[in-house]
Amino acid sequence: LSTPQPLSPSAPHPPSSKMLFRSTRGAFLDMSFEEAVFEGLAQDGGLLVPHYIPDVSKEWKKWKNLKFDELAYEIAKLYVGEEIPEGDL
């Protein structure tokens, strides 16, 4: 198995881009959100994690007064991208 590349802790995340997920053991790369959810655990036994953690340094202060469901929505849409329409999320 190949050694997975380290995750970038805070890479830029354009809002319209597709977040990709990979196995912590390195055998599965570039899975969509939908594929990662339906897969659960990667077939190599690794956890499926995003390629990078979205940078929310400019947004988090705006989130401090949100209700739980509103906060969950803001966070989830960073990882879901366009795979689930915002109206359905």
Side-chain angles (χ1 to χ4, degrees), residues 3-66:
T3 304
Q5 297 299 312
L7 294 174
S8 173
S10 184
H13 182 247
S16 63
S17 71
K18 186 175 188 176
M19 175 66 79
L20 296 175
F21 295 79
R22 66 184 190 189
S23 169
T24 55
R25 294 193 178 170
F28 294 91
L29 302 173
D30 298 338
M31 296 179 84
S32 69
F33 174 79
E34 181 181 0
E35 291 168 330
V37 168
F38 284 111
E39 189 73 25
L41 289 174
Q43 292 178 6
D44 65 358
L47 300 175
L48 295 169
V49 296
H51 277 239
Y52 57 88
I53 305 300
D55 179 6
V56 295
S57 62
K58 293 183 174 120
E59 279 94 33
W60 71 271
K61 288 183 181 180
K62 298 175 200 171
W63 295 347
K64 71 178 185 176
N65 294 319
L66 294 178

